[in-house]
Amino acid sequence: MTYTNPYPYSHFAADGQDILVGGLTESISFQLRVNGTTVVSETYNYDTDGQVRILGIADMVSQCLYGTLSAGSQPNARATVDFLINDAVVSSHDLYSSRMCNPADPQGQKRVMAAATRATCHPGTPFYLTFAGSVAASLRRADGSEIASVSVGSPGTVYTQDCDPRALFPSSWQQGASVAFGGELEARIGAPACQDNVPVRFLNRYDVMESLVAAWLEDKPSATDSASMMDGRRTRFGVKASTEYTLKSMPMAHQEEYVAWEDLLMARKAQVWLYGAWQDIIVTKANYTHRRRQMYGQQAEISFQTANPNIIL
């Protein structure tokens, strides 16, 4: 029996190729196993050339790998995928969610899964980053010299961690101007968080969790109804109250900071931290004009509604 490897060049789920099994004289059983769990089990009959072609490998595997809006290990973003013929493992691969593939990094060497290459963190609020494996986080002075270094992430996993400098470097964060992560992302340390600031976390373009901090939150309440005549008076029926909220960003120092707000606008899932808990939201639109010239100090605005219409923030 001959067998072609479905992932000869890539470790991203969507790059899977058809499997061609040859030299057959009887039907075969095929199984796809993800982290030890069988997700596909089928039986194939060979054709006149004694071959079986198994199609749709990329689709099958891609549906099993995805990011979630939670801290800690992301077990569904990276998985061990086994292919079995007649109950015997013929190939095994460590694969990543396809959306973790950076177009500028097709070989998947990138380890910090954040969209903005120049981010800003505000001590005292969550600063979530997702790592493919483990990287070094370095607290740096304004001249680039290193003050302290710690390891973030987790070897062999996709791992989301709160990288608030106050948590990473509790005794020395006040001396730092920025935190560098694995030579791929450098986060400027901004002003410490205040009562008006609103942390937001969302699934970014890599389909893993990232966060930012809004300067404040504004409410825009509204109501809809049907008005009709009743006993000679106009009366409102079916009154529905709803509120749209607007998040205003901190003043931006770099062009790249807009990237995180663009990801929030397009996010499949997002939450804001209010009243001591993460509240699910639906982002509806952006309310700002992005000026590429003289952009320093500009602010972005994103509008949203609560995912549960019965909850008013």
Side-chain angles (χ1 to χ4, degrees):
M1 182 185 72
T2 60
Y3 169 86
T4 59
N5 185 350
Y7 288 94
Y9 310 113
S10 173
H11 54 251
F12 291 107
D15 294 332
Q17 302 178 10
D18 296 345
I19 295 175
L20 183 63
V21 185
L24 300 178
T25 57
E26 57 185 18
S27 62
I28 61 170
S29 65
F30 169 77
Q31 290 179 310
L32 169 62
R33 197 164 60 192
V34 179
N35 284 338
T37 300
T38 299
V39 296
V40 174
S41 181
E42 297 175 334
T43 299
Y44 291 89
N45 292 318
Y46 60 92
D47 61 15
T48 55
D49 295 324
Q51 295 180 336
V52 165
R53 183 177 293 274
I54 304 174
L55 308 176
I57 295 298
D59 290 339
M60 288 188 285
V61 178
S62 293
Q63 292 182 47
C64 300
L65 298 178
Y66 51 88
T68 58
L69 202 62
S70 60
S73 177
Q74 299 268 6
N76 296 314
R78 175 186 180 274
T80 299
V81 179
D82 302 316
F83 297 94
L84 295 81
I85 301 293
N86 294 335
D87 298 323
V89 176
V90 290
S91 67
S92 181
H93 309 269
D94 286 329
L95 301 177
Y96 290 89
S97 167
S98 299
R99 293 193 61 179
M100 291 178 62
C101 181
N102 183 348
D105 178 30
Q107 298 305 314
Q109 301 302 311
K110 187 176 176 63
R111 290 292 171 260
V112 183
M113 298 291 109
T117 57
R118 295 186 184 180
T120 300
C121 55
H122 299 274
T125 56
F127 182 55
Y128 288 113
L129 294 176
T130 300
F131 307 95
S134 177
V135 302
S138 301
L139 180 67
R140 297 180 179 180
R141 300 182 180 89
D143 61 5
S145 59
E146 184 177 292
I147 301 171
S149 178
V150 296
S151 178
V152 293
S154 180
T157 67
V158 175
Y159 195 87
T160 299
Q161 183 171 338
D162 182 1
C163 295
D164 175 8
R166 182 178 289 181
L168 292 180
F169 308 99
S171 61
S172 54
W173 68 270
Q174 293 175 315
Q175 307 171 35
S178 65
V179 184
F181 299 91
E184 297 179 2
L185 182 143
E186 184 167 1
R188 180 174 64 93
I189 298 178
C194 70
Q195 184 176 355
D196 291 334
N197 297 157
V198 181
V200 186
R201 66 182 189 180
F202 55 95
L203 293 177
N204 64 14
R205 66 187 63 192
Y206 298 119
D207 204 32
V208 291
M209 187 163 69
E210 190 179 349
S211 64
L212 49 80
V213 178
W216 65 77
L217 178 69
E218 295 177 346
D219 300 12
K220 186 179 179 181
S222 63
T224 59
D225 62 76
S226 299
S228 184
M229 296 295 293
M230 182 175 181
D231 297 329
R233 299 172 60 90
R234 283 174 57 83
T235 305
R236 300 174 73 187
F237 296 93
V239 181
K240 295 181 180 179
S242 61
T243 302
E244 187 174 69
Y245 303 88
T246 297
L247 292 170
K248 186 85 168 182
S249 77
M250 301 284 192
M252 298 184 186
H254 300 289
Q255 174 75 27
E256 290 92 335
E257 291 186 64
Y258 279 103
V259 176
W261 284 85
E262 290 174 357
D263 272 15
L264 174 59
L265 176 64
M266 302 301 294
R268 175 170 59 86
K269 189 173 184 181
Q271 296 175 328
V272 297
W273 178 264
L274 285 175
Y275 311 129
W278 288 106
Q279 312 287 345
D280 289 329
I281 64 172
I282 299 295
V283 178
T284 54
K285 61 178 180 291
N287 305 323
Y288 63 94
T289 299
H290 180 189
R291 300 190 303 274
R292 294 181 179 271
R293 297 185 61 187
Q294 301 176 343
M295 58 74 54
Y296 189 89
Q298 290 183 40
Q299 292 177 276
E301 289 185 5
I302 293 289
S303 291
F304 70 89
Q305 296 178 344
T306 58
N308 184 346
N310 295 320
I311 294 179
I312 303 297
L313 299 180

